[in-house]
Amino acid sequence: MNDSALLEPVIAASEQAGAAIAAIFRDFKQQNVERKADDSPVTAADLAAHRILVQALSSLTPHIPVLSEESVLPSFAQRQTWQRYWLVDPLDGTQEFIDGGSEFTVNVALIDNHRPVLGVVHAPMLDLTYCAAVGVGAWKRHHGNHRAIRTRSLAARLARGDALELVCSRRHGVEEIETLASELEQKLGLVVTKSVGSSLKFCLVAEGEADVYPRLAPCCEWDTAASQAIVEAAGGAIVDMQFQPLAYNRTEGLLNDHFFAFGDPAFEWQSYLP
């Protein structure tokens, strides 16, 4: 089975996980939050989605390992033997879920030789799914409507006086983003920022609704992998602070460096960003 043929079953599994999350969300109470060893929150919804996705992916591709945020992390020695593996965030935006917001997602990526080659981001409360496979393209599904998506060019928009649209997190690196937006405004003109939850920030860049998503706070590889596949397939790029594409399963830990997601990789970003 080629990678593009895996998209529909992965979307179906993500929607099944999303339905389980939605059912718990409707009756969720703040006291039902537990804390993991790193003090990050976890809920019954995270665990229910984890179980559904691990079972579905293991059945779909028994020969490909599955690494979920809620899995026990295998040793780096073991992970180094993986050329291909599934990388899953069963509930991206757990704090958003806990706070009663709707902008949380199910993220599933297929990693091949340290790069994401397939990605699905599903927002169950929004009836919204983004998906992509390398070499095939990227799509958005919303309320039954399906369409291909592409990033947008930036230079022509700036030349006619349009604002640079920057998307950012509500909770992470807020002060750093404010400083960056101010610096960009001095160099490029008007900058408009909007705050969005979970992996939907990347997806706005992928569909041409934002120009750049700077991440200036820590996050893990399962937070970015599915979205990176979508952004890249739509024509964009996600790069680290050395302007190299994010790579996966390279180190013992799974923390990403700070990064930028661009809609227009041809723009001279290095002239304007730190």
Side-chain angles (χ1 to χ4, degrees), residues 126-149:
L126 304 177
D127 190 19
L128 176 61
T129 302
Y130 295 88
C131 60
V134 168
V136 179
W139 296 269
K140 176 182 180 179
R141 303 182 176 193
H142 192 214
H143 298 317
N145 297 315
H146 300 185
R147 66 176 179 89
I149 57 174

Side-chain angles (χ1 to χ4, degrees), residues 124-214:
M125 305 311 296
L126 304 177
D127 190 19
L128 176 61
T129 302
Y130 295 88
C131 60
V134 168
V136 179
W139 296 269
K140 176 182 180 179
R141 303 182 176 193
H142 192 214
H143 298 317
N145 297 315
H146 300 185
R147 66 176 179 89
I149 57 174
R150 293 289 298 175
T151 60
R152 66 188 182 193
S153 61
L154 180 58
R157 293 183 55 252
L158 294 179
R160 64 174 181 257
D162 291 354
L164 172 72
E165 296 190 20
L166 183 154
V167 64
C168 59
S169 170
R170 296 191 181 97
R171 297 181 173 86
H172 305 289
V174 175
E175 291 183 5
E176 292 83 353
I177 294 298
E178 289 176 352
T179 299
L180 175 63
S182 177
E183 292 174 355
L184 288 172
E185 195 157 58
Q186 292 174 22
K187 298 173 182 177
L188 294 171
L190 181 63
V191 174
V192 174
T193 63
K194 49 187 170 183
S195 301
V196 181
S198 70
S199 292
L200 295 174
K201 295 182 284 293
F202 296 96
C203 297
L204 290 181
V205 173
E207 66 173 312
E209 293 295 325
D211 297 302
V212 58
Y213 164 34

